[in-house]
Amino acid sequence: MTEAVTPQSPLDPPPLQPEKPGAAARAITPEDIRDGAVVALLLGVAGLLLGLLWVWLAPRVQYVSNGEAVFLRSPESEARIASDGTFFLLALGLGVLSAVGTFLWRRSGGVPLVIGLAVGSVFGALVGWRFGLWLGPSSDLVAAAKKAGEGVPFDAPLELLAHGALLAWPMTAVLLHLGMTALWTPRDPDPEPVFAWSGSYQAPTTPPADATPSPPEAPRA
C-alpha cells in the first residue's frame, strides 16, 4: 500500500534549512574561563611595569623651602600636566600590546577572553598608578623639606591629576581586540541551500485546443 504524497504548492514558503553544527553560538567551556583568568592575571602583573616606567619617564615637579613654608620652584612649570600625559601614553601603549598579544594567543576570541582583558587592564592601570606613587618621592613635604635643607630644591611626589587616564589602557585594549577579532577571525562558510525557490507561480501547460487526439491502438490477438 502506497502513501499519498501531497505536492508542495509553489506559493508555500520554503521549508527551514537544517542548522549547521557550527552555526550555533559556541558554548563557553572551562578552557575559555581559564584563558580569561590567565589574561586578567598577566595584565594585573603588567601594571607593575606601568608604574616603573611612569616613575622613570615622568618629569619632576620641584619644591623649595625657605625654612618656614614650601613653594614651587617654578610656578609656571607644566611638569604636572606632562606627568599625566606620560601616564596616559604609557597606558595607551600597554593597551595596544595587550590587545595584540591576546589576539595572537587566542584568535577565536570569546566572551571570557574579552572580560579577562577588560578586568585585567583596569586592575593593571590601578596597580601601575599606586605602584608609581609608592616608588616616587615621599608625599611628606615637611620631612622632605627638612631633609633637603633651606633653599635646596627637592622633588615633589608624583600625582595623577586626570584620573580619566586610568581608562586609557582598558578602553584601548578592548576596542582594539574586538576590532581585530571582527576583521581577522575566520568565519564558517554559510550552509548551501537545500533547494532554490523562486517564489513565482508557473501554471501547468495544457495541450492546444486544435490538437487531434491519436487513435486508439487495435487490440492484439
Side-chain angles (χ1 to χ4, degrees), residues 183-198:
L183 289 176
W184 291 303
T185 297
R187 296 288 187 269
D188 295 331
D190 295 333
E192 297 181 358
V194 179
F195 66 92
W197 180 68
S198 61

Side-chain angles (χ1 to χ4, degrees), residues 38 61 65 72 78 212-213 218:
V38 169
V61 177
S65 173
L72 281 172
E78 297 181 355
T212 303

Side-chain angles (χ1 to χ4, degrees), residues 45-54 90 94 128 131:
V45 175
L48 300 176
L49 177 62
L50 173 60
L52 184 63
L53 292 175
W54 186 35
L90 290 173
L94 288 175
F131 187 60

